[in-house]
């Protein structure tokens, strides 16, 4: 009987958790390790186009921890009569797949 109660409790908990996640829009659950680090799931890193070592902004807003990619800071520099975007900080190089993904997202 105790085993049946535990199974029922686990089912109720799993159902409530699934409802909460779908109702609140929570897509990923992460944990903080002892050193205070949070691992951002790969799906989220891909969606936000963030890479390892990239600086992020973290702030508390309305009782939530919000982590957002830092804005890309660049200057327009004229060279040979053309305006060229020059990043203020080193940025990872874009691959052909990165360029295609950006083009596709703009076309939608």
């Amino acid at each position: 009987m105790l085993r049946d109660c535990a199974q029922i409790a686990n089912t109720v908990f799993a159902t409530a958790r699934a409802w909460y996640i779908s109702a609140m829009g929570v897509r990923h659950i992460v944990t903080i390790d002892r050193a205070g680090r949070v691992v951002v799931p790969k799906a989220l890193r891909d969606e936000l186009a963030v890479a390892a070592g990239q600086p992020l902004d973290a702030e508390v807003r309305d009782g939530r921890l919000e982590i957002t990619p830092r804005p890309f800071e660049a200057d327009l520099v004229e060279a040979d009569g053309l305006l060229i975007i020059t990043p203020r900080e080193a940025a990872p190089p874009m691959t052909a797949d990165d360029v295609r993904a950006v083009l596709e997202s703009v076309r939608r």
Side-chain angles (χ1 to χ4, degrees):
M1 174 147 170
L2 187 57
R3 179 174 289 161
D4 292 338
C5 289
Q7 287 176 337
I8 291 170
N10 285 337
T11 302
V12 169
F13 176 75
T15 303
R17 182 176 180 273
W19 173 86
Y20 177 82
I21 289 171
S22 66
M24 301 310 253
V26 176
R27 295 176 37 190
H28 300 274
I29 295 177
V30 298
T31 57
I32 299 174
D33 69 10
R34 288 186 178 140
R37 296 174 294 222
V38 175
V39 175
V40 178
K42 184 174 184 333
L44 291 178
R45 293 192 314 265
D46 290 346
E47 185 176 328
L48 294 171
V50 295
Q54 179 177 347
L56 304 170
D57 287 332
E59 65 180 316
V60 175
R61 182 177 292 176
D62 297 328
R64 296 184 320 238
L65 172 63
E66 290 190 7
I67 302 173
T68 53
R70 291 194 49 90
F72 180 76
E73 296 180 356
D75 296 311
L76 284 176
V77 178
E78 187 175 347
D80 298 326
L82 299 172
L83 288 177
I84 300 173
I85 298 175
T86 306
R88 292 185 183 161
E89 295 179 16
M94 292 184 73
T95 65
D97 289 336
D98 293 335
V99 173
R100 272 190 222 95
V102 170
L103 289 173
E104 289 299 318
S105 71
V106 171
R107 290 179 182 153
R108 290 183 203 153

